[in-house]
Amino acid sequence: GASAPRRRLRAAAAVSSLVHAPKRRFLCAAGYGGVSVWEGFGLGEAPARLLPFKGPLEALSLPPDERYAAAGAQDCTLVLWPLHAGGSRDGDGGDNGGGGVGPASEAEAAVEGGAALFFGGYERKVGPVAWDSSGRFCASAGGRSAVVWDIGPPGAPPPVRRNGRATLLLGHRSSVEWLGFAPAEPAVAATIVAAAAGCRVLLYSLDQREGGEGTTHASSLRPVAECTLPDGRRGEELVLAWGRDGYLFGACGGSLFAWRAG
């Protein structure tokens, strides 16, 4: 039967997104004012530290290596905090901003002592956020603006004012509602899928980027494939999940579908 909660925690504000980091034993809760972080399983009532942000956050996500916490913001930015450095309980750590020019040019960020990185230029508030299995690539979308950021391989320093970090995912005619990387497998290329409103699903291969790191502008990608739904299904809500061997599964209403990438 049901039982009472074993612990009651107090976040800085109402929680919009919750993520557990099993390797580092963190519990992260995003909401207005930043991300509350509890460290270890001996959880106290108040968070051990606060990753500050002046505004509401949602769509909190951590990469598999748990180096960063990433969240979408309603001010049309993607925010990343390095988890190896502490924030503060009273909100010190800098104002929002950092000069994110955004996907149209380059990833501009200010990183000092573990402060947040800001990536701007999205069409609307940033909703879906996803990481690849290596923890190097972070995909996010706000409206029709869908971008993959190259955060760097494990052990690399945070990407401070680095050109060519953004890859634009082209071809969206409506707001992107879901992003997800295919599992890393020998038979599957570095592929990301973006699903726009109206059940239009586009597939991209990161191996086909043009431009990129070392240039003064963002790279871009056009879709390599479009997963179509049977007639009569367009416009219905679609949920998606990657499987093994390059299979992408979708459910629309009471019907399930499967596509093969590659």
Side-chain angles (χ1 to χ4, degrees):
S3 62
R6 297 185 60 183
R7 286 187 176 90
R8 187 181 298 272
L9 308 178
R10 187 182 72 250
V15 175
S16 60
S17 187
L18 189 67
V19 174
H20 178 242
K23 294 178 182 177
R24 299 198 178 191
R25 298 161 65 106
F26 288 168
L27 180 65
C28 302
Y32 191 94
V35 178
S36 299
V37 181
W38 290 268
E39 301 178 8
F41 292 128
L43 301 174
E45 181 179 345
R49 56 189 167 119
L50 176 68
L51 308 175
F53 181 81
K54 292 185 177 179
L57 295 169
E58 52 189 58
L60 180 64
S61 180
L62 272 62
D65 58 13
E66 301 172 2
R67 287 185 297 157
Y68 295 96
Q74 290 193 14
D75 67 356
C76 304
T77 59
L78 172 71
V79 191
L80 271 71
W81 295 266
L83 288 179
H84 59 76
S88 65
R89 194 172 292 189
D90 59 5
D92 291 341
D95 294 337
N96 302 349
V101 174
S105 57
E106 65 178 13
E108 298 255 347
V111 184
E112 295 180 5
L117 299 81
F118 300 90
F119 302 91
Y122 293 86
E123 184 181 62
R124 297 179 184 173
K125 69 177 182 179
V126 178
V129 179
W131 295 85
D132 79 318
S133 59
S134 72
R136 175 171 182 168
F137 296 105
C138 180
S140 55
R144 292 172 297 175
S145 304
V147 190
V148 177
W149 298 98
D150 184 353
I151 306 302
V160 182
R161 298 186 180 277
R162 295 291 299 275
N163 296 336
R165 289 285 184 172
T167 298
L168 314 182
L169 304 182
L170 306 178
H172 301 290
R173 297 193 290 263
S174 52
S175 295
V176 177
E177 299 175 342
W178 186 88
L179 291 165
F181 285 87
E185 297 178 300
V188 181
T191 302
I192 181 174
V193 59
C199 295
R200 185 166 178 260
V201 183
L202 302 179
L203 295 178
Y204 301 85
S205 174
L206 291 182
D207 293 340
Q208 297 185 9
R209 287 176 294 171
E210 298 179 357
E213 189 169 357
T215 70
T216 58
H217 56 83
S219 60
S220 61
L221 277 177
R222 296 194 177 277
V224 296
E226 178 176 350
C227 299
T228 58
L229 292 169
D231 292 339
R233 291 293 180 180
R234 292 183 179 271
E236 296 186 22
E237 183 179 2
L238 176 66
V239 293
L240 296 163
W242 276 107
R244 294 188 59 182
D245 301 322
Y247 278 99
L248 175 64
F249 299 98
C252 194
S255 301
L256 276 72
F257 308 94
W259 300 276
R260 180 76 180 273

